[in-house]
């Protein structure tokens, strides 16, 4: 028996209708950049977010945004670090675009009002994170980079009268015309007066910038809104999802105890970039000798080393020692992390910080070309919802904000010229359904235990069995159940891809296939939904880090 998830979400008939030329779903750096850049080039732009404007992942980004902005640094060096972290699974062209267009995109962000930190001499202050061989991470408010970027972008959007924003609006499903082109979408809006409940927006293009899937797992750095909605909606509409098995676990997430669920506090890699180091339960620095960059090795290497040592010592976490940074430095450089840790009873100035890996970032997503086009005409994707090919098997630290910025700018370069006349949706033949919200905790526990940091054929088979059962638990229409349906659908596609990748590469760690296998698995696993079942196919490609490892 194979897993079957709803082919479209069961939802009431639209009770209201309106029109826009372009709908942007999501209000982090990717969505807001796309909307601002499209302004003046297309008629009407509608931006929708299922919470409030600032609720997505961007505002939680601590470390910063990577770009070759410092003296002596070059896009080529940034490219090499990105390819090495990506473990051979990056798209070389996409990486070159990222690193070459990145510096200008960051300068533009500064010009619209994002205040980055500067050194005493007036130059941009740059720090280092895992996998980078140079200081190239620009940061703001010490460790509040995402919050500052979000503030600046929201201010720009609020000043742009021609962009309409609808908050508390969950995108339900896409509408396609007879040619299979996007011509609208259904939305569920909570508490918007005339637009309350399910409605439809007829439009000529949709930009998906709806973020990641962190809530698939029990513990994640992602906010509660990261339920994979955009990826699931695209999958149901027939889009190809790519590289879903590459989910990054951040090595240093503050450990709050075995029962702690949902969003967990991140301890930025920049803390290690400024000199903090990991120690095990005996106080031994265990990253030395594991990698030439020791505590600043790429993220997958550090997460694996922590997990191994936790298993060896029978512990649920390791420790981060940043006491030597001193009170003054902590207060100035990492005020947000300091306050959060103290709120949880740990003072990093005097205490070791308990840390363990937790889900942080989806390197895969809706497959796009170099201009953000998905495989469905009229549907574009950007940011964490997309798989542009820049991250490969393991995203390099602080490349995520940059990806959203760079590829949203590219979408805005091509989309206006590709807009088709407004068409009408065809009758939707897909079977509707909705999975009960109550299955979410079991789904998250299963994904964490079987499809998390460490995977095996038997664990993945067991996870698929559980997910198959959970997918048959019908629920009532409503936000919680729609989100759960999205989460289960993405979990099923992720587990199916992970089962077929019988090797260890980047963030995909198979205990039964511990080696990287370029002969068998250099390339990508693509997923499409066929009659409700995720079907995975492999596309071979040359490993892109050859000669650079
Ligand atoms: C961090 O600050 O460690 C996270 C940065 C990132 O995810 O790139």
């Amino acid at each position: 028996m194979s897993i079957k998830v709803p082919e479209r979400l069961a939802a009431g008939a639209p009770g209201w209708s309106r029109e826009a030329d372009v709908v942007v779903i999501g209000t982090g750096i990717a969505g807001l950049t796309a909307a601002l850049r499209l302004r003046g080039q297309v008629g009407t732009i509608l931006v929708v977010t299922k919470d409030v404007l600032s609720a997505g992942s961007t505002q939680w980004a601590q470390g910063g945004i990577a770009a070759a902005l410092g003296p002596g640094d070059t896009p080529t060096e940034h490219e090499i670090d990105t390819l090495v972290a990506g473990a051979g699974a990056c798209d070389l062209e996409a990486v070159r675009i990222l690193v070459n267009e990145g510096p200008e995109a960051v300068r533009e962000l500064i010009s619209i009002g994002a205040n980055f930190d500067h050194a005493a001499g007036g130059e941009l202050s740059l720090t280092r994170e895992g996998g980078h061989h140079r200081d190239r991470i620009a940061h703001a408010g010490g460790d509040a980079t995402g919050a500052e970027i979000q503030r600046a972008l929201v201010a720009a959007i609020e000043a742009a009268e021609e962009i309409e924003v609808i908050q508390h609006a969950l995108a339900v499903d896409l509408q396609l015309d007879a040619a299979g082109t996007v011509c609208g979408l259904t939305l569920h809006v909570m508490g918007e007066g005339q637009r309350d409940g399910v409605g439809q927006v007829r439009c000529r293009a949709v930009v998906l910038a709806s973020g990641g899937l962190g809530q698939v797992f029990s513990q994640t750095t992602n906010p509660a809104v990261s339920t994979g909605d955009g990826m699931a909606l695209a999958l149901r509409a027939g889009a190809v999802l790519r590289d879903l098995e590459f989910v990054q676990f951040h090595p240093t997430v503050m450990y709050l105890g075995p029962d702690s669920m949902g969003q967990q506090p991140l301890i930025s890699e920049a803390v290690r970039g400024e000199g903090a180091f990991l120690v095990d339960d005996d106080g031994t620095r265990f990253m030395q000798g594991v990698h030439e960059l020791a505590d600043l090795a790429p993220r997958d290497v550090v997460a694996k080393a922590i997990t191994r040592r936790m298993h060896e010592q029978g512990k649920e976490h390791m420790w981060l020692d940043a006491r030597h940074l001193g009170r003054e430095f902590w207060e100035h450089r990492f005020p947000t992390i300091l306050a959060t840790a103290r709120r949880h009873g740990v003072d990093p100035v005097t205490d070791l910080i308990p840390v363990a890996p937790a889900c942080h970032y989806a390197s895969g997503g809706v497959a796009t070309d170099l201009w953000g086009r998905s495989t469905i005409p009229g549907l574009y994707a950007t940011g964490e919802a997309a798989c542009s090919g820049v991250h490969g098997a393991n995203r390099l630290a602080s490349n995520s904000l940059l990806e959203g910025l760079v590829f949203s700018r590219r979408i805005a370069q091509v989309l206006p010229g590709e807009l088709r006349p407004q068409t009408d949706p065809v009758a939707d033949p897909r079977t509707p359904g909705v999975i009960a919200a109550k299955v979410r905790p079991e789904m998250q526990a299963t994904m964490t235990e079987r499809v998390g940091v460490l995977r095996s054929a038997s664990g993945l088979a067991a996870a698929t069995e559980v997910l198959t059962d959970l997918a048959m638990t019908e629920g009532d229409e409503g936000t919680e159940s729609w989100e759960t349906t999205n989460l289960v659908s993405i979990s099923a596609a992720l587990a199916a891809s992970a089962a077929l990748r019988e090797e260890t590469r980047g963030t995909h760690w198979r205990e039964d296939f511990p080696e990287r296998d370029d002969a068998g698995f250099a390339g990508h696993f693509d997923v499409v939904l066929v009659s409700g079942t995720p079907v995975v196919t492999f596309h071979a490609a040359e490993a892109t880090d050859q000669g650079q490892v």
Side-chain angles (χ1 to χ4, degrees):
M1 190 174 58
S2 59
I3 190 162
K4 262 180 113 50
V5 297
E7 293 174 70
R8 67 182 170 95
L9 292 181
W16 52 269
S17 180
R18 58 152 297 166
E19 297 201 352
D21 284 316
V22 180
V23 176
V24 178
I25 305 175
T27 55
I29 191 170
L32 296 186
T33 299
L36 287 169
R37 278 266 169 166
L38 284 166
R39 183 177 43 156
Q41 297 194 75
V42 299
T44 44
I45 303 169
L46 179 66
V47 176
V48 299
T49 171
K50 76 171 174 184
D51 199 301
V52 291
L53 263 176
S54 61
S57 291
T58 294
Q59 66 148 336
W60 295 98
Q62 295 177 349
I65 185 161
L69 291 159
D73 198 3
T74 61
T76 303
E77 288 181 55
H78 188 186
E79 172 191 316
I80 292 169
D81 287 345
T82 301
L83 295 176
V84 171
C90 297
D91 177 319
L92 185 57
E93 280 310 301
V95 171
R96 290 201 167 141
I97 285 167
L98 180 82
V99 299
N100 283 295
E101 296 183 11
E104 188 200 318
V106 174
R107 280 187 212 106
E108 184 183 272
L109 195 55
I110 294 170
S111 77
I112 70 160
N115 291 312
F116 283 85
D117 296 333
H118 288 79
E123 69 280 16
L124 210 52
S125 175
L126 299 170
T127 191
R128 195 174 293 215
E129 291 182 332
H132 291 272
H133 284 79
R134 273 193 186 271
D135 293 351
R136 66 165 70 95
I137 319 294
H139 48 87
D143 56 3
T145 313
E148 171 57 16
I149 291 173
Q150 188 75 25
R151 182 205 61 74
L153 288 171
V154 167
I157 283 283
E158 284 174 347
E161 283 171 9
E162 61 276 52
I163 298 175
E164 188 188 347
V165 178
I166 305 185
Q167 303 186 90
H168 306 291
L170 175 75
V172 176
D173 269 310
L174 290 176
Q175 296 174 326
L176 304 181
D177 66 14
T181 300
V182 170
C183 63
L185 77 162
T186 50
L187 287 177
H188 182 262
V189 182
M190 288 155 277
E192 286 285 321
Q194 284 186 329
R195 288 206 215 96
D196 204 8
V198 177
Q200 70 174 346
V201 181
R202 301 184 67 215
C203 63
R204 299 160 66 196
V206 169
V207 179
L208 268 185
S210 46
L213 50 69
Q215 296 296 327
V216 152
F217 297 94
S218 305
Q219 292 88 27
T220 174
T221 60
N222 293 191
V225 291
S226 298
T227 51
D229 304 326
M231 295 183 202
L233 157 146
L235 184 69
R236 285 193 295 272
V240 170
L241 304 195
R242 179 166 298 155
D243 287 351
L244 280 187
E245 68 275 26
F246 297 130
V247 178
Q248 183 168 75
F249 283 70
H250 195 289
T252 54
V253 178
M254 192 170 169
Y255 179 76
L256 300 180
D259 301 326
S260 183
M261 300 276 290
Q263 188 177 13
Q264 312 288 305
L266 177 68
I267 310 293
S268 174
E269 269 191 330
V271 179
R272 275 174 285 135
E274 300 289 357
F277 51 85
L278 289 153
V279 292
D280 67 13
D281 218 52
D282 301 329
T284 304
R285 288 187 67 169
F286 57 91
M287 282 311 298
Q288 287 169 331
V290 171
H291 190 277
E292 47 130 354
L293 292 172
D295 292 273
L296 281 176
R299 216 167 260 184
D300 60 319
V301 176
V302 183
K304 281 173 192 168
I306 291 176
T307 306
R308 274 199 191 102
R309 196 54 72 109
M310 278 163 45
H311 288 176
E312 280 162 18
Q313 297 196 324
K315 301 290 173 194
E316 289 180 332
H317 62 82
M318 291 286 112
W319 303 96
L320 187 68
D321 192 344
R323 295 172 296 183
H324 57 289
L325 300 184
R327 181 178 311 279
E328 208 179 307
F329 187 82
W330 263 106
E331 283 170 357
H332 164 74
R333 183 65 180 86
F334 299 118
T336 316
I337 300 171
L338 182 66
T340 306
R342 283 178 173 164
R343 225 176 18 254
H344 289 287
V346 174
D347 187 345
V349 178
T350 51
D351 303 332
L352 296 175
I353 309 169
V355 290
C359 170
H360 184 57
Y361 191 84
S363 294
V366 179
T368 63
D369 68 8
L370 300 175
W371 297 96
R373 302 180 187 102
S374 78
T375 52
I376 299 180
L379 178 66
Y380 301 77
T382 171
E384 193 173 356
C387 179
S388 66
V390 297
H391 304 312
N394 178 38
R395 174 176 65 82
L396 183 67
S398 286
N399 268 355
S400 52
L401 294 174
L402 190 70
E403 182 198 26
L405 201 55
V406 165
F407 285 89
S408 291
R409 284 160 48 105
R410 288 178 77 80
I411 288 173
Q413 279 176 262
V414 295
L415 185 151
E418 295 175 354
L419 275 183
R420 297 167 174 81
Q422 179 70 58
T423 51
D424 295 321
V426 282
D428 197 330
R430 299 170 296 169
T431 313
V434 63
I435 300 172
K438 68 178 182 197
V439 310
R440 198 191 284 208
E442 189 176 351
M443 177 217 71
Q444 289 170 324
T446 302
M447 291 298 287
T448 301
E449 196 185 329
R450 309 287 196 184
V451 197
V453 184
L454 194 52
R455 300 166 176 172
S456 68
S458 57
L460 290 162
T464 305
E465 211 170 296
V466 174
L467 292 171
T468 303
D469 278 350
L470 298 183
M472 290 190 292
T473 313
E474 278 178 43
D476 297 327
E477 293 171 21
T479 303
E480 289 277 299
S481 303
W482 288 323
E483 283 183 344
T484 302
T485 309
N486 291 337
L487 286 166
V488 173
S489 303
I490 293 302
S491 297
L494 199 168
S497 306
L500 291 176
R501 188 173 281 283
E502 294 181 330
E503 63 157 356
T504 289
R505 180 186 298 271
T507 51
H508 174 68
W509 186 9
R510 288 283 300 253
E511 57 185 340
D512 45 353
F513 296 99
E515 304 300 329
R516 173 171 153 175
D517 175 7
D518 276 350
F521 293 100
H524 305 279
F525 282 102
D526 285 354
V527 192
V528 290
L529 204 62
V530 179
S531 304
T533 299
V535 173
V536 188
T537 49
F538 180 63
H539 301 274
E542 209 170 307
T544 44
D545 60 349
Q546 293 305 312
Q548 286 157 339
V549 189

